[in-house]
Amino acid sequence: YSAERLLLAALCSVCQALQDGMLFPTESPSREVKDVSGLWIFRADESPERSRGFEQQWYKSPLAETGPVIDMPVPSSYNDITQDAQIRDFIGWVWYEKDVWVPARWIQDRGTRIVLRVGSAHYYSVLWVNGVKVTEHVGGHLPFEADISGVLRQTSGNQCRITIAVNNTLTLETLPPGTIQYMTDRSRYPAGYFVQNTNFDFFNYAGIHRPVLLYTTPKAHIDDITVETTFSDNIGLVSFNVSVLGSSKAAVKVTLSAQDGRCVASADGSRGVLKVTDVNLWWPYLMHENPAYLYSMEVQATAEDGQTDVYTLPVGIRTVKVTSTQFLINNKPFYFHGVNKHEDADIRGKGFDWPLVVKDFNLMKWMGANSFRTSHYPYAEEILQMADRHGIVIIDECPGVGIKDIRSFGNVSLAHHLTVMEELVRRDKNHPSVVMWSVANEPASEMPPAGFYFKELVSHTRSLDSSRPVTYITASNYARDLGAPYVDVICVNSYFSWYQDPGHTELIGLQLNTQFDNWYGKYQKPIIQSEYGADAVPGLHSDPPMMFTEEYQKTVLQNYHNVFDQKRKEFVIGELIWNFADFMTSQSIIRVVGNKKGIFTRQRQPKAGAFLLRERYWRIANETGVLPTWASCITVI
Ligand code: BDP
């Protein structure tokens, strides 16, 4: 299968330290953004080796001239858009194309740099503009871009044909890993029959999942900005580092403004520290009466020719620290009462969708959640920006999910995993909402290579960002977990009375207490229950409770909560329900049209468990935090 060979070659060629920044494209006096998402055309390469598109060079001419094409929305997964099961379950190369107009002045002004950026595409992508290859990228969930100024000026000018080939094949070395299995028994499978095997529990949606943008910068431009914040008494400190490309002598000026527009600090130079008197700290939702305070940092870089590039970055001033029993935000104990999510919804699959994002934040705030984990991959940047603005705290996870095969602990895998962490930290380092990195979910951390693998991974992540703790999510036994010595916080998933002792909710108390005491006894690190829960098919009832009913889900949660309430006085620093909403999985005998552990349905309607959690989270917030005045009516529930 040619895609596997191509992928391995691509993986090896990109295993080098990242050179450039990946600032979120925003408009400014010197920058324009043109969203070219919308309706694209699409063709799946159904040839046996999935290689016809490359052999026939589909990028060289309009895609419609190569064969039949269909409409495809961007952003969206392609899987659930048609009535064709073959498209839903397709594995291999699919081709997207769109013709766009580039403003003439962008082309004419040679001082303008034109960039094409894809928010994310699942999984391995190759990009052409007017038939010329401009970049390729391995990995979903993270952005990639190419400077296309040269290509546009050399080819046909204002008209721009963008072609993107995307391949969803997963191999032992990709993140997440997977394998392609050929079925050779001719009495059961036709010739050439293959399947993609994975070890994760969500549907492997594919396509262009986030917006495709064209944006401009001046030739000499701000390439990256890194801020780190701290404070002492009422003085906030913002250290900044600005990198400029296209000019070696650009003059950099940095200005920090408060929410009312007042300038509170400024400095000249590409590195420095801004001092903010009477600082307004960035506080999580429900921890302060004025949470999520954001300053605005304007960076100006003026090149020798007088051209100035301007970029504005929201900055929240806050600190994060971990002790052996606590998670401290701004030196105050923070208790995670939140959710695990997925990027997942009807029709669009993992495609970015503003109505869904805003609805989900409204639901999280309604239920009194102060945090979520980006299980099991990085979410759209727009989601992190929402979290910054609403004070929702994030554990930011990379796509290291389902690492179960010992062959996925090899050097190529590790090198790629380190690169993905570099891409993740580069993208998300400036978000105050992000308080911890998670490098993996439920890897086979008891396998001998895991010790070395996680030592490297955690220490590399720390070297990229020393201001945040690092963890991974374990489901392994405390005595056999080889990565736990390296992490800052222990995150444990467990499913008592579900996958173990199904139906026996009376055992949860004993088993959960044992779990916590064992882990704490061995490592003396704070613990987050990073997943727990039970499936509930909405509308299914029974009393006494039986598995799959709403009552059973509630009973499981209540039993977990009793133990959390004892242990949060000691070293348990958080609880994240699995899951916020029902989500699609691959088909199997343990899934009824997807995973039903949501406390909301996939359409975001509450099950009984949602009301239980709402009461609990507001009660905890009432005990530990400061509620906003508008919320006083909710606290009486
Ligand atoms: C956990 C996994 C999560 C699954 C969940 C489940 O981390 O991805 O969806 O189990 O089975 O172990 O519901």
Side-chain angles (χ1 to χ4, degrees), residues 216-292:
T216 64
T217 72
K219 227 181 196 162
H221 62 278
I222 298 159
D223 173 57
D224 201 8
I225 305 169
T226 309
V227 296
E228 265 188 43
T229 66
T230 183
F231 64 94
S232 138
D233 300 323
N234 69 337
I235 311 271
L237 299 170
V238 180
S239 73
F240 62 90
N241 189 355
V242 178
S243 75
V244 176
L245 287 180
S247 161
S248 53
K249 291 200 211 76
V252 175
K253 188 170 170 50
V254 177
T255 315
L256 196 72
S257 305
Q259 267 174 10
D260 59 9
R262 212 170 18 101
C263 167
V264 294
S266 66
D268 289 320
S270 56
R271 280 162 176 268
V273 180
L274 298 169
K275 275 194 192 162
V276 186
T277 44
D278 291 327
V279 63
N280 275 309
L281 297 177
W282 186 94
W283 288 99
Y285 175 56
L286 303 180
M287 205 174 169
H288 192 265
E289 63 276 3
N290 184 18

Side-chain angles (χ1 to χ4, degrees), residues 41-44 52 56 58 61-70:
I41 59 169
F42 175 93
R43 182 174 182 196
R52 185 170 302 147
Q56 298 181 348
W58 288 357
S61 53
L63 196 54
E65 289 174 15
T66 70
V69 294
I70 58 172

Side-chain angles (χ1 to χ4, degrees), residues 183-193:
M183 303 305 201
T184 48
D185 179 348
R186 285 289 156 271
S187 68
R188 296 168 67 209
Y189 305 98
Y193 196 87

Side-chain angles (χ1 to χ4, degrees), residues 201 376 441-442 493 495 499 531 578 583 591 595 597:
D201 181 38
H376 294 308
N441 178 67
E442 296 189 359
N493 296 347
Y495 288 90
Y499 295 120
E531 284 181 30
W578 190 262
F583 58 91
R591 296 288 174 253
N595 187 309
K597 293 194 187 67

Side-chain angles (χ1 to χ4, degrees), residues 3-4 6-12 122-124 137-141 167-180 196-198 200 204 398-405 407-410 412-417 420 453:
E4 284 177 297
L6 269 172
L7 252 173
L8 192 61
L11 275 165
C12 294
H122 194 93
Y123 171 77
Y124 169 30
H137 182 257
V138 181
H141 320 288
N167 192 322
N168 60 350
T169 304
L170 299 170
T171 71
L172 287 165
E173 291 84 14
T174 57
L175 285 187
T179 50
I180 293 287
Q196 168 90 75
N197 295 316
T198 57
F200 52 80
N204 193 24
C398 96
V401 56
I403 307 177
K404 303 281 189 196
D405 188 311
R407 292 169 295 173
S408 292
F409 285 107
V412 178
S413 296
L414 178 59
H416 180 55
H417 207 148
V420 172
Y453 193 93

